[in-house]
């Protein structure tokens, strides 16, 4: 499986076209920009953060996520879009969103494996680890004899 860029057509697998149009018109009617692209971008960044939190994982190109994580990402989008326009998400979607976050936490812990990207990036999502070096000893047992 590859790393993919989630699109609006993917969002239509979790939201109906009518729902998406309603959220879009509610957002643009109140003077906001189209909510779909920014919401997708935020969720993609969130997923990449969880993937990058586990050191052995390698991130793909910017804007891509593992195909295995597309469904959980879309579950998060299905909750964030209604909230963006002030509509409470349905309970079923809230449950799916909670399961998605738990799965992403498993990815961050390394207990859910993802595929390696074909093309990697130099981006690092996790915090750097400190490097600690031992001090050089100037005196040994022979040097301290008689002290």
């Amino acid at each position: 499986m590859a790393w993919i860029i989630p699109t609006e057509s993917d969002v239509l697998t979790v939201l109906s076209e009518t729902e998406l149009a309603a959220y879009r018109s509610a957002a643009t009617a109140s003077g906001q920009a189209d909510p779909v692209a920014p919401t997708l971008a935020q969720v993609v960044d969130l997923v990449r953060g969880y993937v990058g939190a586990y050191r052995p994982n390698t991130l793909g190109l910017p804007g891509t996520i593992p195909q295995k994580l597309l469904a959980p990402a879309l579950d998060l989008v299905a909750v964030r879009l209604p909230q963006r326009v002030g509509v409470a998400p349905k309970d079923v979607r809230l449950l799916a969103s909670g399961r998605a976050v738990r799965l992403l936490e498993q990815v961050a812990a390394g207990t859910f494996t993802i595929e390696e990207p074909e093309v990697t990036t130099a981006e690092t999502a996790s915090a750097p680890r400190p490097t600690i070096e031992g001090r050089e000893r100037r005196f040994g047992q022979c040097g301290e004899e008689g002290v």
Side-chain angles (χ1 to χ4, degrees):
M1 294 198 160
W3 281 51
I4 57 171
I5 298 173
T7 62
E8 186 175 325
S9 62
D10 294 323
V11 174
L12 291 174
T13 63
V14 292
L15 295 175
S16 70
E17 203 167 318
T18 308
E19 275 183 295
L20 187 58
Y23 298 143
R24 185 172 268 149
S25 67
T28 55
S30 62
Q32 298 179 24
D34 182 23
V36 177
T39 303
L40 268 174
Q42 290 169 357
V43 170
V44 165
D45 284 343
L46 179 70
V47 170
R48 289 175 64 83
Y50 276 106
V51 169
Y54 185 58
R55 279 261 184 210
N57 287 341
T58 305
L59 292 176
L61 293 174
T64 62
I65 61 171
Q67 190 166 355
K68 280 184 180 180
L69 299 179
L70 178 62
L74 293 175
D75 287 337
L76 294 174
V77 169
V79 169
R80 287 178 176 226
L81 271 176
Q83 288 176 335
R84 170 109 186 253
V85 295
V87 176
K90 297 177 182 176
D91 289 340
V92 173
R93 290 193 178 136
L94 286 173
L95 289 172
S97 170
R99 286 192 306 268
V101 169
R102 282 193 298 278
L103 179 68
L104 292 173
E105 288 171 347
Q106 290 175 349
V107 170
T111 58
F112 184 86
T113 58
I114 57 167
E115 62 272 6
E116 288 292 318
E118 294 172 7
V119 181
T120 61
T121 182
E123 177 185 356
T124 57
S126 58
R129 293 187 180 173
T131 55
I132 301 171
E133 296 178 8
R135 293 185 297 182
E136 182 181 331
R137 296 179 181 223
R138 290 187 233 160
F139 304 104
Q141 184 176 359
C142 294
E144 293 183 18
E145 198 170 303
V147 175

